Amino acid sequence: RYSPLASVRYRVLAPARYLESRGHRNQFLRLDQKMSGDEIAHALAADVVVVSKVLAQGSVELAQQARALGARVVVDLCDDHFDTPDLGPAYRALCQLADRVTASTAAMANVIRQCTGKRAALIDDPYEGPRGERRFEPAADRARLLWFGHPVNFDTVADMVPKLGALARSTQLSLHVVSNSANNGIRD
C-alpha cells in the first residue's frame, strides 16, 4: 500500500505495517469508496478501530457504528482542523466518543485538550528511509527555508509571508516550497 500524502504514510500505513509484523490483521476502510452495508459492518467488527486522516464525511457515523459493534475506538489526529466548518464538528465529536485520542505532536495534543478537554497520547511520526546525520549550519546573513506540505495547507505559507518580508530586509532569504496536488488516497 502507498499514499502520496506523507501524513497518511506516517499515521496510517507505517503503524499498520508494524502491527502486521506483530501478527495483527489490518483492514482499511476508505470513506471515499462505495461499500455495501455488509462490507462496512464486517470491516468495523474489530477489537480496535483506528480513525485517522479524517478527510471525508461519514467518519463520525462509522466510529459510532464501530462502538455499537463492540470495538474500541482510537482517534489519531495530526492536523488542526478544529476551527474549520467542514471538519471541526467531526473532530470534536470523534474525540468525545473515542476510547483513546492520539496526536502527532505535543502542540497538536495541546490543541486537542483545549478544544475538547481530552488528553491525547503523543505518538511521533516514524522515519521513512535511513536516518541521516543531523546538520544545522545557519549563516548569520542568510536563511534558506523549506516548507513541505499539502496544498490544502498553503494558508500557513501565506500567513508567514509578512514576517518573512520583515526578515528579508536584514537577511538574505530563499524559500523553497515542496508540494503536489496528486490523488490523496491510499493505493495498493
Side-chain angles (χ1 to χ4, degrees), residues 76-152:
D76 176 64
L77 299 176
C78 64
D79 299 307
D80 179 5
H81 293 294
F82 282 99
D83 292 332
T84 63
D86 54 337
L87 291 176
Y91 271 43
R92 284 180 178 77
L94 285 166
C95 287
Q96 292 309 317
L97 71 88
D99 294 294
R100 187 68 155 152
V101 179
T102 61
S104 58
T105 64
M108 187 69 223
N110 188 45
V111 168
I112 292 166
R113 188 173 57 254
Q114 289 175 355
C115 293
T116 70
K118 290 277 223 166
R119 293 184 95 57
L122 180 62
I123 300 177
D124 292 329
D125 289 337
Y127 290 90
E128 285 183 312
R131 289 187 181 191
E133 289 294 319
R134 291 184 182 177
R135 199 178 83 191
F136 182 66
E137 300 169 1
D141 61 340
R142 65 183 163 92
R144 296 182 330 199
L145 308 174
L146 170 68
W147 183 88
F148 176 86
H150 192 270
V152 72

Side-chain angles (χ1 to χ4, degrees), residues 6 8 13 21-23 26 35-36 43 58 62 79 82 89-90 110 164 170 187:
V8 170
L13 299 178
S21 77
R22 299 292 189 258
N26 296 304
M35 296 178 77
S36 73
L62 287 174
D79 299 307
F82 282 99
N110 188 45
L164 291 177
S170 61
R187 295 191 308 256

Side-chain angles (χ1 to χ4, degrees), residues 11 28-29 78 102 110 115 156 166 181:
R11 306 306 296 177
F28 294 90
L29 181 65
C78 64
T102 61
N110 188 45
C115 293
T156 61
S181 60

